[in-house]
Amino acid sequence: MIWIVDEVETRPGMGAAFLDAYMTHYAPGNEARGLTLVHRMVEPAMWLDDAPNRLLLVWQADHAGAVWAAKHRARGDAEVARWWNEQAPPFILSRRRGTYAPAEALEALANV
């Protein structure tokens, strides 16, 4: 398994609205690209009105090839660019994305 983690810090009071927009505008495309959303985690464990929330949105792929295929398809998708460049910014302070694999799988993943 490979995991792609979107870590998003929302503007104060915007956590729930961001998650709703993410699930409506972004998640269906990611699922169509072959990824599965396995976790939607929020810190702290309540929506804040006067401070940022941090969200971890964890996507799963069966293998590295599926990750590369999804990334390749996303790069050419105008809806993805519109989401991250136009629709998401009013909700967020920062975001970062990481791609993770189990430590014991790294040697096998390096043999491409």
Side-chain angles (χ1 to χ4, degrees):
M1 290 294 159
I2 307 288
W3 296 273
I4 299 169
V5 180
D6 286 328
E7 180 179 351
V8 178
E9 182 180 12
T10 63
R11 296 180 188 279
M14 299 300 287
F18 169 78
L19 182 58
D20 182 57
Y22 183 93
M23 296 305 298
T24 300
H25 300 290
Y26 181 73
N30 244 10
E31 290 169 350
R33 288 184 286 278
L35 302 177
T36 302
L37 185 62
V38 293
H39 295 290
R40 298 182 302 170
M41 296 179 278
V42 179
E43 178 190 40
M46 62 186 289
W47 296 121
L48 300 175
D49 292 327
D50 59 349
N53 279 104
R54 187 172 75 115
L55 287 80
L56 296 178
L57 301 143
V58 181
W59 295 89
Q60 181 176 293
D62 291 334
H63 52 81
V67 172
W68 287 112
K71 287 183 177 193
H72 179 73
R73 289 176 61 196
R75 283 189 193 110
D77 188 334
E79 291 300 315
V80 172
R82 187 174 4 273
W83 164 251
W84 287 116
N85 296 322
E86 298 172 19
Q87 295 174 296
F91 298 105
I92 65 175
L93 294 171
S94 66
R95 78 173 177 105
R96 61 180 216 162
R97 171 172 281 176
T99 304
Y100 302 87
E104 61 275 8
L106 296 181
E107 186 174 332
L109 289 170
N111 292 322
V112 178

